Amino acid sequence: MVVVVDTISANPVRPRHPEKVNRPDSFSPPKPDWIRVRAPTTRGYADTRNIVKENGLVTVCEEAGCPNVGECWDKKHATFMIMGDTCTRACAFCNVKTGMPGALDASEPGHVAEATFKLGLNHLVVTSVDRDDLADGGAEHFAKTIRAIRARCPATTIEILTPDFLRKQGALEIVVAAKPDVFNHNLETVPSRYLSVRPGARYFHSIRLLQRVKEIDPAIFTKSGIMVGLGEERHEVLQVMDDLRSADVDFLTIGQYLQPTRKHHAVMGYVTPEEFAGYEKIAYAKGFLMVSASPLTRSSHHAGDDFARLKAARAAKSG
């Protein structure tokens, strides 16, 4: 793989991941049959793409190269990524662009709400890039987006997938006060892999963030997820489950890591569907209300259906 940096033309093309340009290529083993998906070609996919583009929105489905984009967009499900398409961090697993983001778009919350209305969404997922350049990490923008959706689509339930708001005092409280239905923040991997996979984050800060959500508003569902195939050991995955349950997290997702480019972290191994089923069984035994564990599981995959099951599980437990 060759990365070309244009330093001659008036408008040079900036590499998507400038911090990774000089890294040696990392090679992953071939994908097993159970991970392959079809290319998106349906009419529903095209309709969703058009609505996204007409409203000038960014989706994590495209930016992160999600393998489920064809299935989700065909059903008119999309995960909107607010605050731009450029992240201030450079995680080794992520395909979202890195660099210095532009100013926030004050009209974006309204555009997200309008797209939600046009798509007729019953359940919506909103995520964002990391915005370490902002004093509140983008917390108020999250809150404005939630409020705009509530005003335009009062029956739509809202799930947010947030950054960690590291060193952003009071940011979490701003977001929780806007009362999303589900607060998701992903751990991404086990603690021992943070330095090589997620160096800008702190594992126990993320655990504490999720715990604080419940302390502030126990009615909000909390959710977190990890990827496997990054060199973790099985006992480490089980410890993550225990740590999340100690923070009273309701919903756990576990999916297979897939390498976006050769400059990203290599896949260290593919977890079989049988192993995923084992993780799911153990997680339920540890007390999670909902668990989704499979090779193609992603944070927002089947989010609407899963939210309905999550509510039913809480009702059954309290009843």
Side-chain angles (χ1 to χ4, degrees):
M1 179 179 183
V2 177
V3 177
V4 179
V5 182
D6 181 358
T7 60
I8 299 175
S9 62
N11 297 300
V13 177
R14 186 175 182 276
R16 187 175 181 87
H17 302 284
E19 80 290 346
K20 295 179 175 69
V21 168
N22 295 317
R23 289 184 182 179
D25 287 356
S26 298
F27 295 90
S28 297
K31 292 179 184 177
D33 291 339
W34 62 77
I35 287 181
R36 302 185 187 280
V37 295
R38 294 181 179 179
T41 58
T42 65
R43 176 62 183 272
Y45 169 86
D47 289 344
T48 300
R49 188 174 188 276
N50 289 338
I51 290 172
V52 168
K53 300 306 176 187
E54 286 168 5
N55 286 275
L57 298 173
V58 177
T59 69
V60 74
C61 320
E62 294 174 294
E63 295 301 317
C66 180
N68 302 313
V69 64
E71 177 191 350
C72 292
W73 283 27
D74 180 52
K75 297 176 180 176
K76 295 193 175 179
H77 297 168
T79 298
F80 296 120
M81 189 168 76
I82 59 175
M83 295 189 275
D85 64 356
T86 304
C87 188
T88 54
R89 298 193 192 174
C91 296
F93 65 88
C94 186
N95 199 38
V96 174
K97 288 193 295 187
T98 55
M100 181 54 67
L104 293 178
D105 178 1
S107 65
E108 184 175 51
H111 290 314
V112 172
E114 188 59 28
T116 301
F117 178 79
K118 289 180 178 178
L119 287 167
L121 299 180
N122 295 318
H123 185 81
L124 170 69
V125 182
V126 179
T127 189
S128 80
V129 291
D130 273 286
R131 291 297 303 255
D132 296 310
D133 58 312
L134 300 175
D136 68 350
E140 183 58 36
H141 199 76
F142 256 110
K144 288 178 179 177
T145 302
I146 294 168
R147 291 194 290 266
I149 296 164
R150 293 267 187 245
R152 187 71 171 98
C153 308
T156 299
T157 50
I158 302 170
E159 180 173 329
I160 58 171
L161 171 55
T162 76
D164 59 14
F165 300 119
L166 189 63
R167 303 183 185 91
K168 305 295 182 182
Q169 192 70 30
L172 177 66
E173 288 75 8
I174 292 171
V175 179
V176 175
K179 292 190 176 296
D181 296 282
V182 181
F183 190 109
N184 185 5
H185 171 65
N186 285 333
L187 296 179
E188 307 295 4
T189 188
V190 300
S192 68
R193 306 304 299 160
Y194 261 53
L195 189 60
S196 60
V197 174
R198 197 184 177 214
R202 301 294 180 268
Y203 176 80
F204 286 107
H205 169 81
S206 289
I207 292 287
R208 178 59 182 150
L209 184 88
L210 290 159
Q211 186 178 43
R212 274 291 292 151
V213 174
K214 283 289 189 178
E215 291 173 354
I216 299 168
D217 190 343
I220 295 176
F221 289 103
T222 50
K223 179 177 177 180
S224 190
I226 63 168
M227 301 169 289
V228 289
L230 285 161
E232 72 289 330
E233 299 289 339
R234 183 175 184 275
H235 70 87
E236 293 180 296
V237 175
L238 303 188
Q239 183 61 58
V240 167
M241 293 182 191
D242 289 336
D243 292 342
L244 287 171
R245 285 304 302 135
S246 72
D248 201 22
V249 170
D250 300 301
F251 190 170
L252 172 66
T253 62
I254 306 176
Q256 171 70 52
Y257 167 66
L258 299 175
Q259 185 183 32
T261 74
R262 290 179 182 173
K263 296 298 180 181
H264 287 78
H265 197 294
V267 174
M268 307 305 290
Y270 291 106
V271 177
T272 67
E274 292 75 22
E275 290 175 285
F276 276 109
Y279 280 140
E280 181 173 304
K281 184 176 181 179
I282 292 170
Y284 273 122
K286 289 180 180 292
F288 289 97
L289 290 180
M290 267 289 298
V291 183
S292 179
S294 73
L296 291 177
T297 288
R298 297 296 182 268
S299 293
S300 307
H301 195 207
H302 299 153
D305 294 338
D306 286 343
F307 178 67
R309 294 168 59 198
L310 191 59
K311 287 194 297 181
R314 174 184 279 179
K317 184 177 180 180
S318 60

